[in-house]
Each structure stands twice: as C-alpha cells, then as structure tokens.
Amino acid sequence: MTETPSTSAPDGGAAGVAPPEPRLIKLSEHTIEIVSDPGEGAQKCGQIFGQVSARMGNGVWTVEIIPAEIQPPARSPAGGSGNRIRIGSGPVTNWGDQAGLVVAFNEQVLLGRHRLDALSDDAIILLDSLWSRHDDERIREEWQKGMKELAGRSYRLIEVPIEEACLEIVDTPRRGKNMFVLGMLACLYQRDVALIMDLIAQSFRKKSPDVVKINHDLLDLGYRWANDNLDFRFDVPATKPEGPMLVTNGNQAVALGAIAAGMDLCAMYPITPATSVSHYLSDIFEEFGGMVHQAEDEIAAAGVAIGASYAGKVAFTVTSGPGLALKTEFLGLAVMGEIPLVVVDVQRGGPSTGLPTKVEQSDLLAALFGQPGDAPRVVIAPATIDECFHLMITARRIAETFRCVVIVLSDANLASGVQPYPRPEVDPRWMAGPIDQSPVAQGARPFDWDPDTGLSHRIIPGQPGGMHTLTGLAHDESSEIAYDPDAHERGCAMRSRKLAVIQKALRPPALHGDPDGDLLVVGWGSTKGAIEEAVDRARAEGYRVSSTNITFLSPLQPGLKEIFGRFNRVMTVEINYSDAPDAPYITPENRRMGQLAWLLRANTLVDVDCWTRVPGQPLRPGRIHEVIRNVLLKGRTA
Amino acid sequence: MRGNSCSLLTAGQDEEHEYGLQDYASATPRWCPGCGDHGILTGVQRVLEAEQLPPEQTVFVSGIGCASRLPHYVKTYGFHGIHGRALPVATGIKLHRPELNVFVVMGDGDCCSIGAGHWIHAIRYNIDMVVLLLDNEIYGLTKNQTSPTTPQGFPSNTQPRGSYLPPLNPLVTTLGVSNASFVAQTADWAPAHVFEVIRAAYRHPGFAFVRILQRCPQYTTAIFDSAVRDPSLVEMLVHENGVIVPELQGIYKNQRRHDPSNLDQARRLAEDVEPVRLGIFYRNEDRPRYEETRHVPPHSVEDRLRLLNKEFDRHAL
C-alpha cells in the first residue's frame, strides 16, 4: 500500500518524466487532517487552508488536534498537533466522520490518528518519507512497525519527501514543512494561491519581509511537488454565501459578543480551553475602553467581576469546569445579592483535571445545581459559533434586567472550531446603558421585589440616598439581615420567581424535521450540527426522526412536554457520561442518565432515554446516525 | 486613599452641607459589650466625618466574621460578602469605579487564613483603598478557634492544649510583599491613635494596610490585657511623615522616631512582638497603582460600534 511517486526529485520533473494526468475527484464535502509534532506548524497550515476555503465560498468547520502538553516528546502518537478541516459545497456544521485525506509529518502522529479511528478506510495519506531511511536505526524500526500496523486498513499511503524538499530553502525544516504542505493542499484542492499568499503575509506581518518570502517559496515548492507527482485532485465546488460573513472560532466570538454587549471587564484566571477568550480580548479590549484582569485565582476572578458588576456595569468571567467549581461560593453570593453577572464556562472533560483540552458537556448539572442552598440562575448554551457571539449579548441583557447570574455553557469544540457565519449588524441596543447615578426616591429599598415577578430595581453605589449594605446573609427588602422564617422563604421565592418570568418570554425550541414521528433526538450545545446531519441522513433513508436543540437549560424552554408527546420515543444525545443500560448491575432504577436527559425527565415526567459518550472528541454524525437506526430498528441504541 | 477625587464630587452637590458623625451612623452594632470593634467603628466614622466623605461615594467591603459586620453599622454603601473574599470584590469595585472611596474590613481569619492569597496579591496591585485588619487573634463568630495570628500555646476549642504553631505576623508578611506601599499598626484601646492612623491610611494613595489589635472580651482578653493595662509595654512609632498623637504622649512614654520611608528598618521593627509597636511602619506614595496602570478611558456607544465594525472587518470573508 505504500507508494513512492516515480518522480522523487524535490524540484519535480527533474527526471524528465511528464507529470501524470491527474484524476479529478468530485465531492460535495471532504475532511482533511494535518498532523505534526507540536511546534511544526501544522495548525497554522490548517488554519490558513480553512480560511482560504471559507473565503472561496466553501462551508468550513475547523477543529484543532491538540495534545495537553506544550512540547510533548517528538514522534509520539499521543503528542500529535494539528487541524482537522472539513470543507463542503454547502454549510458545514460539524467536524464530520472520518478524514479522507491526511497529511502527517511523521508516522507516529499518524498512528495516533489511526488508533483513534479518525481515518476512513479509503483515506489517502501523505506522509513524510524522511523517517523510513533515517540514520537512527530505532526510528527506522519504529517506521517499519508503524507500516505493519497501518497495513490492516486499505489506506492509500504516499510517501512525500517533505523535509528533504524543504531543506533546499531552509536550514531548519521544523519551521518550513507546514508551508510546503499548504502548497500541496493548495494544488490538490485547487485553492486560490494569491489569496493564500496574502494570508501568509498577514500571518507573518510582525516578522521581516524575508520570512514572508521564504514561506511563499516553500508554498510554491509544495505546490509544484504535488502538481508534478500526485495523480489526483479534489473538486469541492463552492457556493458563495449570500451577504457578508465572518470567520472566527467560538472563543473569539464570545469575546466579540462581550464587546458588542457593552461589557468592560473580563476577569479571568488561565484555564484551558477558556483562556483564548482572554488572549484575544487582551489584544483588543483596551481599544474599546475595556480591560482583561488576570486575577490571582479563579475565586478572585469571580470576585472582581462581581465587584465591578455591583459597582455598575455587568462584568464577566470566563473559565472551565474546575474554575466553575472554585467560583461556586461567589456565584451563590451573586444570586443572593442579586448582582448581575455573566459566567462563561468553556467545558472540557471532567471530573478533576480530566481531559483539559478535550470537549465534553458535563458541566450542565453543575451549572444548574452546583451550589449549596437554593441558587437559581440562568443557564444558556450556544450551539454554533454564531450563537457564541449572540448569546453573550443575551446573557448580559438578562443578567442586568433580572439581576441574576447567567452561565453561558460553551465547550472545547466550539472554542477552537472555526466556521463562517453571517456578519452581525451592530446595534446600539445591544450595549449596556450608562450607570444610573440619579438620587434614589425616598423610601425606595434595594430589594423592592414585585411580589409577582420577583423583580426589583437595582441601586448602585454613587446614587445619593441609596446607601445600604448588600449581604449574602438572608435579608429582607431593605437588605437588613433577617433570620425570621418568612423573610427567607420570601427571598427564596422572589429569586426563583424571576426564572419563571424569563421562561414566559421564551419560545419552544425549533424542530429539525417533522413535528411528529417515531423518534425525537434532543441535544444541547455544540452537538447540534452533528445531530442534525445524522437526522438528515436517517430521514433520507425514510426514518421518521426529528431533532431539537435546547438553548435555554435554565429556565427550560417552554412546550417540551407537548413536543415530546408527538413522538413515540425521545432520546438525548450528549457528550457526557451515562451508564449503558445493559452494563453489569445497571437497572432502570439505578441507571445514571445523561445530564440533559436527567433534567428533561425531571421536568416533563416523560421517559426520556439517552445515548451519551465521553470520547474527548466531538460526536460524529455517522455514529449518531447508527444509533438512530438501532433505536428505530432494534429498540435500543447498540 | 486620597481625598481629592471625592472633594470634587462633594463640591458639586451641596456645598453648604457638612456631614456630622450621625450621618455615618446606621444600625446599632450587635457586637459583644467590651468588644474592640465598637471603638474601631467610632474611629472609622470620625475619619469619614473629618474627611467629609459623601456617604453615597463611599463603599465598605467586608468578608465574614465579627469584624465583617462593620459595613452594616456605617451609613455608606456596604458589601458584606463571603469569607476571605473582600479584597477581590473591592478590586472589582475600584477597577470599574476608581472615584469611589473603598474601605475593606477583614478579620484575621478572613485576611490571613482563608483569604491570604488575595491579601498577598492585593498588596502587589496596590489599588487605592483602606484595608483594615481587625485582628483579635482568634475566630470569634464561630466560637473560639485558633487563627493564624493566635499566639503559640494559646488554647482554643480546636487546639485546647494550646496553639501548635508560631503565629503569622501580618505586618512582616505585608512588608515582605513587593509593591507594599503603606503598613501601619494601631490598637482599639488607643482611639485617638486609631483615628489618626486610619486617616493617614485614607490619605495615602494606594493600598493602605492597617492592622488593628482588637480585644475580644469573650476569648482573647488575656492576649491583650497586659499591653492594655501597662502602656510601658507599648512603643509609639513617631515621625513627621508618620503619625504623632500629642494627647497620647503623656500615656505612652516609649516613643521611637521611625522614618516610614525606611523599609529595612520597618521590617526589623515589625519583627518584634514586644514591645507592641503602634504607628506607621512604612509609607511610599510612589509605588505604581494597578488601577492607574490599567486605566482605559471609557468609550461612547457610537465609538464602540464603529470599532467593532472595524474588528469585524479583520475577520470578514
């Protein structure tokens, strides 16, 4: 299965052999992986390939392949770093199933992907041939062993002298191979080379013109090598989207959304995979009159945001699961003191340190209930990168209007996923108004709860006549400490009532597919795209299946029970843990369900089933499709 | 903390109005009779009056504990938060509203134990605020447990055979952190001194840390009793750049001239537990302040939208 193109000279055509007439493979979508040792730049290569594809009008979804360590040992299967890019003729909403083309800088990182079953059976692999004839005997042995392992599949493996070719131009190919590979991909997918050169120049704008030139030369070299040596090309036709589009990842969208919402302060402590929100904001926030405060710990980050919110303008803090746990007590205070606050939790695998760089949706119940005492708060989950932007505006507005804590549950899949989305039209109504500094009316109290809605008008420091002490102790309308039974009952009811009022303003979730049928798949957050693609495939086969994605988890969107009643079965699909129903000791009585399933069962009394997995990866549409078919054919998920 | 920022605001409101002590009095304190906190509260209110701080422009932030009830008894804005976390809240308030006068009130458990991490970093930030550590060397509200500042050998409910460890010295700790800018000590039983030190702290532009030795009539009378009864066990640090309280000179005969700009000497003096030294150990107005370093002028909505569109352009297809 290993092949070495006949023309091995790096400059192509040197042997005087005419380039083979390439076969043009027409596809509606294709998934490409580029994987290297960390520091070799596969990610940059993948990002630029994704960008240029998006600009040419392809639907694109890009995800990072990222080890937990900064510089794990070279040539290790678990240490691979890079990108998966899925491009399509129409919009692409998820990372797809298996890759059809993989470029690997060494056979070990390739094995890492192979072992994760990331490659389709007929995948084409472009692998640096350097290692097969390396000076080090141990490396040659590893190569041989690797080839044996890969031989079990029907991949088409093509050896490419990537490093050898690059050495024509650079001394240390560690920093050049990615551009050579980008050149190959540009040729194979017929990308706009001038646009790529622009993007390279932009990417290296802080470096010298020489650096840009070298990278352009490497790009050209890769392009020519592919052109002269590879006998296939891919054609994934693009359809230009209507209207202007932006391309960002989810964390950038969160940051832009915070700016659009008029927030001025992001208090944070470094934690993967949330931190890149603050990296991006640190770069640009001050231009907007805002600042990122890197606090001494997660708890302080919550405290600083709460202090700033209390003093006038809603602030936000961004974290991941372990950080959310640490902030718990402060969130309780914000609930008790009715201090508006936005908390972004970019979820990763847990519990404990868990899977720091990998996706999971297992903070849902912690976001809802992870708190001693009754601490109602709003929990919303963006399903797309577009929603990462818009839900920040929603979150700020709800926090302010309802004097409450809003938790935005993003995840590692959205955080680093890159996708084009419609360019938002900026709207001054998104922004927070000026801080109220007017005198407080005689007799007005800091918690003048409307007895029906629980709503009260916030009094802000600086307002004459409004002096009071906000407290985390049980208190009455005047914020006086109150231990009598009625006062605490009333306070709890008022804080809880606000969620019911918010629910009044919500619409039932939209259905993807028919309004009734045999199966309804319910998801939340970033699994939306994969679930809908799976539903589409099943529907094309005649199955009566629909899906829905729930944005508001607390309060839950209305109408769920009625919608569920129109389907024979209801099942959640989530990236969190649930017991397999047929596992030892597991009975319907003790089975621990997926987190959304648990919530839906409690709220609707409908017998909602679940299929959940915690692979540290986004779910594949193909796998969900299989589950849907199993459920409908055999009555069980497996 | 400097007074200039708020004097402008007072001028704008009612130039005739003069605030009296009663303007700063709120609910009746519920501390035990004989608790040092009563006197400290009066000292604080006297400073507010002396500096004519508009109550609505002033925020008292506290954590949890006996000392942390103080905001309820001052008629300004108050934030009675959670145990150990007063400083992050105060930081957030000052970052967003630097014009507000912020006072932080903590106990020894609050500041030196559960909130110690925040304490260290707040010293580094050097944000303009008055920070009062009401140190009774015991956990009072939870009923007599050993605190980080409890003297070694002193019995409590959690360490009935006496505290196992040498106590943490809050002055030495604060003086040891880079960017410390104001460190002082006073004692609740010398109210004139409490007033002068807190006033000096208020006038200091930066993080002004004042440890106040505070008697707990329930649990730690024995710790402070000798110094309360015998002024010869106390040594006053005096200097024209520190504080001088003339009416106390007759009582406290041990006076040491100490220049608060001398950090090395301040650290040496802070090391000693005996005599009990009261006064300003260190003061440096030139230390960088985080809220100034990080200050960004606010933008209008129009500006922000224009810039946001520009930022969108960078990500446009």
Side-chain angles (χ1 to χ4, degrees), chain A residues 38 66-72 78-80 272 354-358:
Chain A
I66 178 173
E69 304 83 6
I70 298 164
Q71 202 65 263
T272 306
L355 301 168
T357 60
K358 315 280 189 197

Side-chain angles (χ1 to χ4, degrees), chain A residues 27-51:
Chain A
L27 297 163
S28 61
E29 55 106 4
H30 209 216
T31 302
I32 302 111
E33 288 196 356
I34 306 154
V35 56
S36 69
D37 284 343
E40 290 187 317
Q43 288 196 355
K44 178 162 269 178
C45 171
Q47 282 158 7
I48 295 180
F49 183 76
Q51 275 174 5

Side-chain angles (χ1 to χ4, degrees), chain B residues 165-181:
Chain B
L165 297 170
L168 180 147
N169 181 329
L171 299 175
V172 169
T173 305
T174 307
L175 286 165
V177 177
S178 52
N179 217 30
S181 74

Side-chain angles (χ1 to χ4, degrees), chain B residues 136-148:
Chain B
N136 58 4
E137 306 187 4
I138 200 79
Y139 284 82
L141 198 61
T142 48
K143 317 282 187 282
N144 196 28
Q145 295 87 20
T146 302
S147 101

Side-chain angles (χ1 to χ4, degrees), chain A residues 245-247 259 263-264 280 287 292-293 296 304 308 311 313 330 423 437 461-463 468-472, chain B residues 56 69 71 77-78 80 85 88 92-93 96-97 118 125 290 294 299 304 307-309 311-313 315 317:
Chain A
M245 304 286 279
L246 297 186
V247 187
I259 293 172
M263 291 194 273
D264 279 340
Y280 177 51
E287 280 176 52
V292 174
H293 171 68
E296 61 269 21
V304 168
K313 255 189 176 180
F330 251 135
R423 177 179 175 138
Q437 290 290 277
Q463 287 193 267
H468 65 280
T469 291
L470 184 144
T471 178
Chain B
E56 69 273 13
R69 289 296 180 97
Y77 280 91
H80 180 204
R85 319 291 175 203
I93 294 171
H96 182 34
R97 302 281 303 278
H118 307 309
Y125 299 144
Y290 187 72
R294 297 299 315 272
H299 282 33
R304 201 181 252 249
L307 289 163
L308 189 59
N309 261 322
E311 190 58 26
F312 284 167
D313 290 343
H315 301 287
L317 267 189

